[in-house]
Amino acid sequence: MSKILEIFNTMEYGPAPEAPDAVKAWLDEHNRKFGLFINNEWVTPKGAKFYSSINPSNGELLAETTQAEKKDVDAAVAAARMAFKTWSKTPGVTRARYLYAIARNIQKHSRLLAVLESMDNGKPIRESRDIDVPLLARHFYYYAGWAQLMETELRDYQPVGVVGQIIPWNFPLLMLAWKIAPAIAMGNTVVLKPASYTRLTALLFAEIVAEAGLPAGVVNVITGSSSAGSMIVEHPDVDKIAFTGSTDVGRTLRKQTAGSGKKLSLELGGKSPFVVFDDADLDGAVEGVVDAIWFNQGQVCCAGSRLIVQENVAGKFIQKLKNRMQHMRVGDPLDKAIDMGAIVDQSQWDTIDGWVKTGIAEGGECFQPNIALPEKGLFYKPTLITGLDPAAATVQEEIFGPVLVSLTFRTPSEAIEIANNTRYGLAASVWSDNINLALDVASKIKAGSVWVNCTNQFDGAAGFGGYRESGYGREGGREGLFEYLRPIWMDRPRPEFVLDEKKKWGEHVPTLPTQPGVARANGHSLPLVDRTPKMYIGGKQVRPDGAYTTTVLNAKGKIVGQIGDGNRKDIRDAVEAAHKARTSGWAMRHGYNRSQILYFIAENLDARNAEFVKRIVEMTGRTQKSAGAEVDASVERLFTYAAWADKYGGTVQETTLRGITVAVNEPVGVIGIACPDENPLLGFVSLMAPAIARGNSVVMIPSQKYPLSATDFYQVLDTSDVPGGVVNIVTGDRDHLVKTLVQHEDVDSVWYFGSAEGSYHVENESAANMKRTWTGYGLPRDWMSREQGEGHEFLHEATQVKNIWVPTGE
Ligand code: NAP
């Protein structure tokens, strides 16, 4: 026995290299020079400039790739537009055949894809062969299934159109799969731009797609710099942008697309927590850390880069981790026996090294194992920095390299607080043998994916995406489909407005009082008893902070009332009240309870039916019949969301994990809602009800023109057991008030149904803190129709999907 151990301990490490020959042959076949892939053909533009694709592990030139210019982007978009005409009408079952053929072709060329991916990116062949490429095929199989089912399961939806897709360099093939598979499955066509550092596998993939027989123009791949990406974003004939990359570029894209009516999904950066409780299997958790932060050299958006260990086991855990790090092998990406390959590019290497130096300067203690690195190539040792302050930049900022920082905690609530102490919210990993504790913590961490006693799990059947500054939208799973769909009744919004550059958006001068007596007497011999509604904040009627009042006129210009003229302070108070309501339990109440309250609101609204009808007639000048229909529809809408309050909680995802993956439709948080002017009551109810049904608390800005139905609503809320702060109402100048909501750090989403120009400003301002927005672009919506005024679109906006992964078994 001791002999075997002896042999084992003294065994020499022998490399097991994968041969690059097939890749070299493929590159040579193309004379190591690539054009753009448009309409299933290689196109080399006249006078094209080229970019050198380099193998980061040895500096070898792999090939030259084209730098696309504006005319090339135009040609690719035109090809996609032309193909969209037939592809969008091609039956789903036929599209499914194509996706299936692509998946099969990926498997047939899997070795070539994996080796090229490792040579172009520097990632270990073990990862590209066993993770990236199998997941690439898996996504095409999974979405072939959704193409097959689209006409029966998604019959209320249509494709969005031509989609511009821009991806990063860390998982070139996987990112491409996340984007292209759902897009073409739903009948869209694509122009994809890979990152500059890693262009080659996207080009090989384009050939594989064409070989599978996909019609020309459905998938177009153009290479180029960030300016080519920008041209795709700005192209007027692109209907949606799907972007994965850094938060800073995401912010730029949000601004560029603001007010355009283009759909936008953003998968951005992260600084994900890896939480270890004292009862966890510490050895298992150490292996988890290795997978969390040193997978792909730490160049992973969801890398577990912030280790948070319970204080009483922290010393022991860190020692185990350091021991493990001494056994890591860094080297040639094509060696099947290495743990870490090369960093993608010298500039990224410099950024990582810069962060390590910053960590040391910030007082951290840096540990790097005593292991050998190859003499040539961009290699970096696995690195651990301990002893940092939680506010240190190294703890807060994404490093995107093999650098782990560690912190400690004492209690579960402290662990949650530290885990959430970040502007990001992409993923988290929780380790504990107490499943109740682990799931409770998982539910309280703000992140799109939470892995319990495991890490970095991905599958086509589960969505991936962020909270907060990690972006919005999901890729993967059924939830990922909605990024590539539009309700069947809705055309691509093409808002029209002229931006008044001189006017500062949202500026507001309080209105002056009307002439004495005019406001209230209105021809009566006795002045009416004054009934000027105040604000409704925290379940109480409060005076407007600015103590200004504004007058409400009816359709004929006659005064029908006065309301408080809200300001920033009123909004801030309302947001604070909304937060209190959330944290004191509205989101945690069960759906049954929320549905009971919605039914109660409906009951109380119906009891005052005549009063609300009268108010609508008085304000809008519409007929009694039309106003009556609006009140009836409002009652019915409340019933709809009472119904949805306990039927939209989530689902069990059928992933490849041995265990369970649960998709939870969590509330978004605090939502600021600016209501439309048409249908002053129904518009208000149609937006408030889905939000609160799904556990959000709201700050409502009623119709600016006809606000009195909303202020009458206070009394309905007061008598319906709605906890104070769940619904807050601030009246006044819509754009002035909504501006404060968009800029507020504690508002999670803003819905805006005002003008086209206002929609632009809401989207543009939201870039500052990457707030989720939903705008109407000033276009008409028929609130009376069930198709346009209620349903899935509203529930989708009122929720965000969190996928919790829990392996099972011994
Ligand atoms: P990046 O600099 O933001 O670039 C991403 C892509 O955008 C590249 O194709 C890039 O082209 C292009 N681009 C850059 N500036 C642009 C602009 N102004 N307009 C249009 N396109 C532009 O990010 P990266 O350094 O490649 O990737 C790392 C980042 O991606 C990290 O922050 C990471 O967390 C994030 N990421 C997120 C996820 C997720 O699912 N949430 C997944 C993977 C990575 P060039 O390469 O030609 O400059």
Side-chain angles (χ1 to χ4, degrees), residues 677-707:
D677 284 332
E678 63 268 28
N679 300 112
L681 176 66
L682 183 60
F684 177 92
V685 167
S686 300
L687 293 165
M688 176 206 73
I692 67 170
R694 296 311 321 164
N696 302 284
S697 44
V698 292
V699 177
M700 306 290 298
I701 304 170
S703 155
Q704 182 172 334
K705 209 165 161 195
Y706 303 128

mmCIF file of all heavy atoms in Angstrom, residues 677-707:
data_model
loop_
_atom_site.group_PDB
_atom_site.id
_atom_site.type_symbol
_atom_site.label_atom_id
_atom_site.label_comp_id
_atom_site.label_asym_id
_atom_site.label_seq_id
_atom_site.Cartn_x
_atom_site.Cartn_y
_atom_site.Cartn_z
ATOM 1 N N ASP A 677 -52.376 59.718 -19.521
ATOM 2 C CA ASP A 677 -53.507 60.641 -19.374
ATOM 3 C C ASP A 677 -54.812 60.011 -19.840
ATOM 4 O O ASP A 677 -55.878 60.339 -19.324
ATOM 5 C CB ASP A 677 -53.237 61.927 -20.169
ATOM 6 C CG ASP A 677 -52.238 62.820 -19.440
ATOM 7 O OD1 ASP A 677 -52.178 62.739 -18.196
ATOM 8 O OD2 ASP A 677 -51.520 63.575 -20.109
ATOM 9 N N GLU A 678 -54.689 59.117 -20.846
ATOM 10 C CA GLU A 678 -55.933 58.476 -21.279
ATOM 11 C C GLU A 678 -56.368 57.511 -20.163
ATOM 12 O O GLU A 678 -55.527 56.941 -19.486
ATOM 13 C CB GLU A 678 -55.760 57.766 -22.633
ATOM 14 C CG GLU A 678 -54.774 56.622 -22.684
ATOM 15 C CD GLU A 678 -53.360 57.040 -23.082
ATOM 16 O OE1 GLU A 678 -52.991 58.185 -22.819
ATOM 17 O OE2 GLU A 678 -52.628 56.198 -23.624
ATOM 18 N N ASN A 679 -57.643 57.353 -19.974
ATOM 19 C CA ASN A 679 -58.181 56.473 -18.930
ATOM 20 C C ASN A 679 -57.545 56.733 -17.565
ATOM 21 O O ASN A 679 -56.751 55.931 -17.060
ATOM 22 C CB ASN A 679 -57.974 55.003 -19.312
ATOM 23 C CG ASN A 679 -58.682 54.670 -20.611
ATOM 24 O OD1 ASN A 679 -58.035 54.411 -21.608
ATOM 25 N ND2 ASN A 679 -60.005 54.699 -20.603
ATOM 26 N N PRO A 680 -57.891 57.870 -16.955
ATOM 27 C CA PRO A 680 -57.204 58.272 -15.715
ATOM 28 C C PRO A 680 -57.327 57.251 -14.581
ATOM 29 O O PRO A 680 -56.400 57.103 -13.790
ATOM 30 C CB PRO A 680 -57.888 59.577 -15.330
ATOM 31 C CG PRO A 680 -59.106 59.682 -16.182
ATOM 32 C CD PRO A 680 -58.871 58.870 -17.400
ATOM 33 N N LEU A 681 -58.436 56.524 -14.514
ATOM 34 C CA LEU A 681 -58.566 55.518 -13.455
ATOM 35 C C LEU A 681 -57.991 54.176 -13.915
ATOM 36 O O LEU A 681 -57.177 53.560 -13.224
ATOM 37 C CB LEU A 681 -60.049 55.344 -13.075
ATOM 38 C CG LEU A 681 -60.298 54.247 -12.043
ATOM 39 C CD1 LEU A 681 -59.679 54.615 -10.687
ATOM 40 C CD2 LEU A 681 -61.798 53.977 -11.876
ATOM 41 N N LEU A 682 -58.384 53.753 -15.101
ATOM 42 C CA LEU A 682 -57.967 52.432 -15.575
ATOM 43 C C LEU A 682 -56.451 52.373 -15.819
ATOM 44 O O LEU A 682 -55.802 51.370 -15.510
ATOM 45 C CB LEU A 682 -58.722 52.083 -16.862
ATOM 46 C CG LEU A 682 -58.446 50.703 -17.440
ATOM 47 C CD1 LEU A 682 -58.816 49.606 -16.458
ATOM 48 C CD2 LEU A 682 -59.194 50.515 -18.759
ATOM 49 N N GLY A 683 -55.891 53.447 -16.332
ATOM 50 C CA GLY A 683 -54.439 53.490 -16.544
ATOM 51 C C GLY A 683 -53.718 53.323 -15.215
ATOM 52 O O GLY A 683 -52.749 52.562 -15.100
ATOM 53 N N PHE A 684 -54.204 54.021 -14.215
ATOM 54 C CA PHE A 684 -53.618 53.958 -12.866
ATOM 55 C C PHE A 684 -53.731 52.545 -12.292
ATOM 56 O O PHE A 684 -52.748 51.947 -11.849
ATOM 57 C CB PHE A 684 -54.377 54.979 -11.988
ATOM 58 C CG PHE A 684 -53.969 55.002 -10.545
ATOM 59 C CD1 PHE A 684 -52.982 55.878 -10.107
ATOM 60 C CD2 PHE A 684 -54.583 54.175 -9.613
ATOM 61 C CE1 PHE A 684 -52.610 55.912 -8.769
ATOM 62 C CE2 PHE A 684 -54.221 54.193 -8.277
ATOM 63 C CZ PHE A 684 -53.230 55.067 -7.854
ATOM 64 N N VAL A 685 -54.906 51.974 -12.368
ATOM 65 C CA VAL A 685 -55.143 50.635 -11.793
ATOM 66 C C VAL A 685 -54.359 49.571 -12.570
ATOM 67 O O VAL A 685 -53.768 48.660 -11.974
ATOM 68 C CB VAL A 685 -56.660 50.321 -11.794
ATOM 69 C CG1 VAL A 685 -56.929 48.849 -11.511
ATOM 70 C CG2 VAL A 685 -57.389 51.200 -10.784
ATOM 71 N N SER A 686 -54.313 49.723 -13.896
ATOM 72 C CA SER A 686 -53.650 48.703 -14.734
ATOM 73 C C SER A 686 -52.158 48.616 -14.449
ATOM 74 O O SER A 686 -51.534 47.593 -14.710
ATOM 75 C CB SER A 686 -53.830 49.019 -16.218
ATOM 76 O OG SER A 686 -55.183 49.043 -16.541
ATOM 77 N N LEU A 687 -51.593 49.704 -13.955
ATOM 78 C CA LEU A 687 -50.156 49.699 -13.671
ATOM 79 C C LEU A 687 -49.877 49.397 -12.196
ATOM 80 O O LEU A 687 -48.928 48.675 -11.866
ATOM 81 C CB LEU A 687 -49.552 51.051 -14.067
ATOM 82 C CG LEU A 687 -49.587 51.311 -15.591
ATOM 83 C CD1 LEU A 687 -49.323 52.776 -15.907
ATOM 84 C CD2 LEU A 687 -48.577 50.430 -16.306
ATOM 85 N N MET A 688 -50.716 49.933 -11.319
ATOM 86 C CA MET A 688 -50.506 49.678 -9.890
ATOM 87 C C MET A 688 -50.732 48.212 -9.530
ATOM 88 O O MET A 688 -49.943 47.597 -8.794
ATOM 89 C CB MET A 688 -51.477 50.558 -9.076
ATOM 90 C CG MET A 688 -51.430 50.317 -7.581
ATOM 91 S SD MET A 688 -52.980 50.753 -6.758
ATOM 92 C CE MET A 688 -54.080 49.442 -7.256
ATOM 93 N N ALA A 689 -51.812 47.637 -10.069
ATOM 94 C CA ALA A 689 -52.238 46.306 -9.608
ATOM 95 C C ALA A 689 -51.218 45.199 -9.888
ATOM 96 O O ALA A 689 -50.895 44.416 -8.986
ATOM 97 C CB ALA A 689 -53.611 45.972 -10.198
ATOM 98 N N PRO A 690 -50.654 45.090 -11.111
ATOM 99 C CA PRO A 690 -49.655 44.024 -11.309
ATOM 100 C C PRO A 690 -48.432 44.211 -10.433
ATOM 101 O O PRO A 690 -47.839 43.238 -9.954
ATOM 102 C CB PRO A 690 -49.294 44.135 -12.793
ATOM 103 C CG PRO A 690 -49.731 45.477 -13.231
ATOM 104 C CD PRO A 690 -50.879 45.848 -12.357
ATOM 105 N N ALA A 691 -48.041 45.481 -10.243
ATOM 106 C CA ALA A 691 -46.834 45.738 -9.440
ATOM 107 C C ALA A 691 -47.050 45.253 -8.000
ATOM 108 O O ALA A 691 -46.221 44.509 -7.461
ATOM 109 C CB ALA A 691 -46.492 47.221 -9.472
ATOM 110 N N ILE A 692 -48.149 45.630 -7.395
ATOM 111 C CA ILE A 692 -48.329 45.242 -5.984
ATOM 112 C C ILE A 692 -48.743 43.768 -5.858
ATOM 113 O O ILE A 692 -48.409 43.113 -4.875
ATOM 114 C CB ILE A 692 -49.292 46.184 -5.206
ATOM 115 C CG1 ILE A 692 -50.724 46.094 -5.712
ATOM 116 C CG2 ILE A 692 -48.785 47.613 -5.227
ATOM 117 C CD1 ILE A 692 -51.728 46.822 -4.805
ATOM 118 N N ALA A 693 -49.405 43.246 -6.877
ATOM 119 C CA ALA A 693 -49.771 41.815 -6.827
ATOM 120 C C ALA A 693 -48.526 40.963 -6.698
ATOM 121 O O ALA A 693 -48.507 39.935 -6.034
ATOM 122 C CB ALA A 693 -50.538 41.418 -8.090
ATOM 123 N N ARG A 694 -47.434 41.405 -7.346
ATOM 124 C CA ARG A 694 -46.199 40.614 -7.339
ATOM 125 C C ARG A 694 -45.245 41.040 -6.233
ATOM 126 O O ARG A 694 -44.071 40.717 -6.273
ATOM 127 C CB ARG A 694 -45.522 40.680 -8.706
ATOM 128 C CG ARG A 694 -46.307 40.062 -9.859
ATOM 129 C CD ARG A 694 -46.841 38.672 -9.601
ATOM 130 N NE ARG A 694 -45.944 37.821 -8.858
ATOM 131 C CZ ARG A 694 -46.294 36.694 -8.254
ATOM 132 N NH1 ARG A 694 -47.540 36.271 -8.298
ATOM 133 N NH2 ARG A 694 -45.421 35.987 -7.574
ATOM 134 N N GLY A 695 -45.743 41.802 -5.235
ATOM 135 C CA GLY A 695 -44.930 42.065 -4.043
ATOM 136 C C GLY A 695 -44.065 43.308 -4.103
ATOM 137 O O GLY A 695 -43.241 43.525 -3.219
ATOM 138 N N ASN A 696 -44.222 44.122 -5.152
ATOM 139 C CA ASN A 696 -43.487 45.385 -5.192
ATOM 140 C C ASN A 696 -44.238 46.437 -4.391
ATOM 141 O O ASN A 696 -45.448 46.314 -4.180
ATOM 142 C CB ASN A 696 -43.373 45.891 -6.641
ATOM 143 C CG ASN A 696 -42.686 44.885 -7.531
ATOM 144 O OD1 ASN A 696 -41.475 44.722 -7.485
ATOM 145 N ND2 ASN A 696 -43.478 44.167 -8.331
ATOM 146 N N SER A 697 -43.553 47.481 -3.974
ATOM 147 C CA SER A 697 -44.281 48.647 -3.492
ATOM 148 C C SER A 697 -44.047 49.759 -4.507
ATOM 149 O O SER A 697 -43.044 49.743 -5.233
ATOM 150 C CB SER A 697 -43.863 49.040 -2.082
ATOM 151 O OG SER A 697 -42.475 48.990 -1.949
ATOM 152 N N VAL A 698 -44.988 50.690 -4.575
ATOM 153 C CA VAL A 698 -44.970 51.623 -5.709
ATOM 154 C C VAL A 698 -45.083 53.083 -5.288
ATOM 155 O O VAL A 698 -45.672 53.410 -4.244
ATOM 156 C CB VAL A 698 -46.138 51.321 -6.696
ATOM 157 C CG1 VAL A 698 -45.938 49.989 -7.392
ATOM 158 C CG2 VAL A 698 -47.489 51.366 -6.001
ATOM 159 N N VAL A 699 -44.487 53.922 -6.115
ATOM 160 C CA VAL A 699 -44.720 55.369 -6.014
ATOM 161 C C VAL A 699 -45.418 55.743 -7.307
ATOM 162 O O VAL A 699 -44.830 55.661 -8.386
ATOM 163 C CB VAL A 699 -43.389 56.136 -5.873
ATOM 164 C CG1 VAL A 699 -43.655 57.633 -5.850
ATOM 165 C CG2 VAL A 699 -42.639 55.689 -4.618
ATOM 166 N N MET A 700 -46.708 56.104 -7.195
ATOM 167 C CA MET A 700 -47.516 56.383 -8.384
ATOM 168 C C MET A 700 -47.557 57.895 -8.650
ATOM 169 O O MET A 700 -47.793 58.683 -7.723
ATOM 170 C CB MET A 700 -48.966 55.907 -8.183
ATOM 171 C CG MET A 700 -49.145 54.464 -7.772
ATOM 172 S SD MET A 700 -48.744 53.269 -9.053
ATOM 173 C CE MET A 700 -49.908 53.643 -10.349
ATOM 174 N N ILE A 701 -47.334 58.264 -9.891
ATOM 175 C CA ILE A 701 -47.599 59.639 -10.314
ATOM 176 C C ILE A 701 -48.811 59.554 -11.222
ATOM 177 O O ILE A 701 -48.736 59.019 -12.327
ATOM 178 C CB ILE A 701 -46.403 60.228 -11.103
ATOM 179 C CG1 ILE A 701 -45.127 60.132 -10.265
ATOM 180 C CG2 ILE A 701 -46.679 61.658 -11.512
ATOM 181 C CD1 ILE A 701 -43.867 60.462 -11.044
ATOM 182 N N PRO A 702 -49.958 60.023 -10.751
ATOM 183 C CA PRO A 702 -51.189 59.864 -11.552
ATOM 184 C C PRO A 702 -51.126 60.705 -12.812
ATOM 185 O O PRO A 702 -50.241 61.541 -12.965
ATOM 186 C CB PRO A 702 -52.286 60.395 -10.630
ATOM 187 C CG PRO A 702 -51.667 60.687 -9.325
ATOM 188 C CD PRO A 702 -50.179 60.736 -9.500
ATOM 189 N N SER A 703 -52.094 60.476 -13.684
ATOM 190 C CA SER A 703 -52.234 61.303 -14.883
ATOM 191 C C SER A 703 -52.098 62.777 -14.495
ATOM 192 O O SER A 703 -52.751 63.247 -13.567
ATOM 193 C CB SER A 703 -53.625 61.067 -15.486
ATOM 194 O OG SER A 703 -54.012 62.191 -16.244
ATOM 195 N N GLN A 704 -51.240 63.496 -15.215
ATOM 196 C CA GLN A 704 -51.033 64.907 -14.877
ATOM 197 C C GLN A 704 -52.274 65.727 -15.224
ATOM 198 O O GLN A 704 -52.647 66.647 -14.520
ATOM 199 C CB GLN A 704 -49.827 65.433 -15.643
ATOM 200 C CG GLN A 704 -49.503 66.876 -15.332
ATOM 201 C CD GLN A 704 -48.206 67.305 -15.963
ATOM 202 O OE1 GLN A 704 -47.335 66.478 -16.220
ATOM 203 N NE2 GLN A 704 -48.074 68.598 -16.217
ATOM 204 N N LYS A 705 -52.924 65.309 -16.311
ATOM 205 C CA LYS A 705 -54.074 66.072 -16.805
ATOM 206 C C LYS A 705 -55.323 65.813 -15.945
ATOM 207 O O LYS A 705 -56.051 66.733 -15.592
ATOM 208 C CB LYS A 705 -54.333 65.623 -18.247
ATOM 209 C CG LYS A 705 -54.949 66.640 -19.124
ATOM 210 C CD LYS A 705 -54.804 66.176 -20.574
ATOM 211 C CE LYS A 705 -55.761 66.865 -21.488
ATOM 212 N NZ LYS A 705 -55.853 66.157 -22.761
ATOM 213 N N TYR A 706 -55.520 64.550 -15.620
ATOM 214 C CA TYR A 706 -56.748 64.164 -14.902
ATOM 215 C C TYR A 706 -56.398 63.367 -13.641
ATOM 216 O O TYR A 706 -56.642 62.161 -13.569
ATOM 217 C CB TYR A 706 -57.628 63.296 -15.808
ATOM 218 C CG TYR A 706 -58.014 63.934 -17.124
ATOM 219 C CD1 TYR A 706 -57.797 63.264 -18.327
ATOM 220 C CD2 TYR A 706 -58.617 65.192 -17.159
ATOM 221 C CE1 TYR A 706 -58.158 63.836 -19.544
ATOM 222 C CE2 TYR A 706 -58.968 65.765 -18.377
ATOM 223 C CZ TYR A 706 -58.744 65.090 -19.555
ATOM 224 O OH TYR A 706 -59.109 65.661 -20.749
ATOM 225 N N PRO A 707 -55.851 64.016 -12.636
ATOM 226 C CA PRO A 707 -55.335 63.261 -11.482
ATOM 227 C C PRO A 707 -56.387 62.894 -10.434
ATOM 228 O O PRO A 707 -56.095 62.118 -9.520
ATOM 229 C CB PRO A 707 -54.316 64.234 -10.876
ATOM 230 C CG PRO A 707 -54.825 65.587 -11.259
ATOM 231 C CD PRO A 707 -55.568 65.457 -12.540
#
